[in-house]
Every structure is written in C-alpha cells, then in structure tokens.
Amino acid sequence: MEVHHHAHHYEIKNWKIYLWEFIMLFLAVFSGFLAENQREYMVERKREKQYIRTLIKDIQTDLSNSGNRVAEYSETINRIDTILSNFDAFTKDFSSAGGRNFLYILYNHDDFIYTDRTMQQLKYAGGLRLIKPSASDSIIAYDSDVKSLFNQVDYNTEIYVQLIDLANKMISYRNAVKDNHTKFLYQLAAPKADIWIKHDPALFQQLYNQLYIYSITNNYSVIRLKRLQKRGNGLINFLKNEYHLE
C-alpha cells in the first residue's frame, strides 16, 4: 500500500503583522503600567489627606493644652505678684492670704504636652514626602516653634523644682497637716497656723528671689505658648484651605 504524506503548510507572517502584534502587546503593558501608577497615586493622595486630617487634630489638641497652660501660668504670675507685694506680711504669718497663694503655686504646675504622633510619622516613616512642599514647609516651621517652646518650658520647670526644694526647707508640712486636720498639704484652703520652720531673713530673701524668677519664667512661657497658638491656628486654616477640608 502506498502511503501518502501530507505536507504541512505554515503561513508566513509579513512584518506588518509582527509590528501590529508588538504594538498591541506594548499598549497592553503600558496601559497596565499607567493603571498601576494611577492606583498608587490615588492611594498616596488618600494617605496624604489622612495625614493632614490627623495632624490638624493633633494641632487642635496642642491648642487646647497650650490654652490650659496659659491660664495656669497666668494665674501663677498673678498670685506671685500678690505675694511679693505683701511679702513682709507673708513671712510674718504664713496663714495670711499669701500662704494660700503660695500653696497654689506649689501644687499647680504642669508642662505643655506635645501631641506629635502624626509629626513623628511624617518625619520618620516617610510620610513627609507625600505632603505638598508649601504645606510641609509650614508643618516643619510649626514643629520648630514647639521645640523652641520646650526650651522655655523646661527652664520654667527647672525653676519650679528649685522653688519646691526651697519650700521643703522652710515649711513644716507636719505642723500644717496636723493643725488643719488633713493628710495632704494641697488640701489646705486656708492654713490656720504659721508653719514656717524658722523666720530666717536670709532664707526669706532667697524665697523672694526664687518667686521673682519663677514669675519671669512663667511670663516668658506664656509668651511662647501664645506664639505657638498663633502659629497653630494659622497652620490649621492653611491646611484646610490647601486640602479643601471642612
């Protein structure tokens, strides 16, 4: 039997077909690349807005904290002024109005707390690269103002600690709580007794100086806090306008 072999016929593509297939493949790959880039861009813009929203909340917390500190430090300044204006009466009798003011000063001191959770992410987790240059410059300026404030507040606290140490040498806490039938000195609304350990003119002069310096450091802290409030309010308004936020 005679076997017939069938010849296989291969279609030969011309160069136009190859070119068209290459173009189609290139367009498919390029379209995928553009789509991925667009997706990544949208994700980053979403992250950027989220950073801005949380940063605004942090600044608003800072403004609330700074407002509390301004009120507290201002009250301390007023009470120190009252003590220094009547210092002779205060040193002769602790149970005078000066004593009440002095106890307030000793037990009312808080530091400014910086809400920097978002700032830390922006600076150290690569978030700052997502922020518009105009906005990032303003954010960095705000952070710089906070660092400047810290220097002043830290010094204010240092003077406060020195005042506490001096008070510990001059006041008999034992007599204070005993005579007023309480366990804690800060509960004394109006000390009934003269609780100076001794009436030492040298110590009283040192106390006057310490109160005077503490008044000054509180005043500078108030100035820096108000400056930060102005910067913070301005930054919030700028970011809301820049990112079209409510």
Side-chain angles (χ1 to χ4, degrees):
M1 173 184 281
E2 187 176 347
V3 179
H4 297 279
H5 295 281
H6 299 280
H8 295 280
H9 298 282
Y10 295 95
E11 181 182 355
I12 299 176
K13 299 179 180 179
N14 61 38
W15 65 272
K16 292 182 180 180
I17 295 177
Y18 283 113
L19 178 61
W20 177 249
E21 290 178 349
F22 170 79
I23 292 173
M24 294 299 292
L25 180 61
F26 173 80
L27 290 176
V29 173
F30 185 66
S31 297
F33 174 77
L34 291 179
E36 180 62 22
N37 273 2
Q38 181 65 17
R39 187 192 68 81
E40 187 174 331
Y41 174 82
M42 296 299 294
V43 169
E44 289 189 344
R45 295 292 70 78
K46 184 177 180 181
R47 287 179 59 198
E48 179 186 14
K49 273 203 169 184
Q50 185 58 38
Y51 275 133
I52 296 301
R53 287 192 179 96
T54 57
L55 180 62
I56 288 175
K57 290 181 180 179
D58 289 350
I59 297 172
Q60 288 171 336
T61 301
D62 288 343
L63 292 177
S64 176
N65 290 337
S66 62
N68 291 336
R69 297 292 75 75
V70 166
E72 177 189 310
Y73 295 165
S74 297
E75 180 67 18
T76 294
I77 293 169
N78 291 334
R79 288 177 183 263
I80 291 176
D81 288 345
T82 299
I83 292 175
L84 297 185
S85 297
N86 302 277
F87 194 71
D88 290 339
F90 169 56
T91 57
K92 289 177 181 178
D93 183 9
F94 189 92
S95 62
S96 67
R100 292 194 298 273
N101 288 326
F102 191 58
L103 291 179
Y104 174 92
I105 293 167
L106 294 182
Y107 293 103
N108 285 275
H109 179 92
D110 291 297
D111 290 332
F112 170 76
I113 305 299
Y114 184 22
T115 311
D116 62 346
R117 54 174 184 170
T118 306
M119 191 68 71
Q120 292 295 325
Q121 293 176 354
L122 291 174
K123 291 164 63 177
Y124 303 115
L128 202 57
R129 67 178 180 81
L130 303 176
I131 308 299
K132 298 176 182 179
S134 57
S136 64
D137 289 345
S138 298
I139 292 170
I140 292 172
Y142 175 80
D143 185 58
S144 178
D145 271 8
V146 174
K147 298 300 171 53
S148 177
L149 170 64
F150 275 155
N151 292 332
Q152 175 58 41
V153 170
D154 287 346
Y155 181 61
N156 191 41
T157 299
E158 181 181 337
I159 299 301
Y160 169 74
V161 171
Q162 293 174 7
L163 178 62
I164 291 291
D165 290 341
L166 181 59
N168 289 341
K169 298 174 183 177
M170 301 181 69
I171 297 174
S172 172
Y173 294 156
R174 179 181 180 183
N175 290 341
V177 297
K178 178 182 177 181
D179 292 344
N180 290 272
H181 307 290
T182 183
K183 292 183 178 181
F184 305 105
L185 188 63
Y186 63 79
Q187 293 178 343
L188 304 183
K192 298 177 183 179
D194 182 4
I195 59 176
W196 297 116
I197 295 175
K198 61 179 179 178
H199 291 256
D200 185 338
L203 283 177
F204 283 140
Q205 183 58 57
Q206 188 176 348
L207 179 60
Y208 186 100
N209 292 346
Q210 196 68 37
L211 285 169
Y212 182 80
I213 295 171
Y214 188 44
S215 177
I216 293 174
T217 58
N218 271 276
N219 185 59
Y220 278 121
S221 295
V222 168
I223 292 173
R224 292 292 181 87
L225 283 163
K226 288 183 177 179
R227 183 183 302 171
L228 183 69
Q229 288 177 324
K230 183 177 180 180
R231 172 81 74 175
N233 281 315
L235 180 55
I236 287 175
N237 292 333
F238 171 77
L239 292 176
K240 285 184 175 180
N241 290 332
E242 188 74 9
Y243 288 90
H244 309 290
L245 301 174
E246 294 296 330

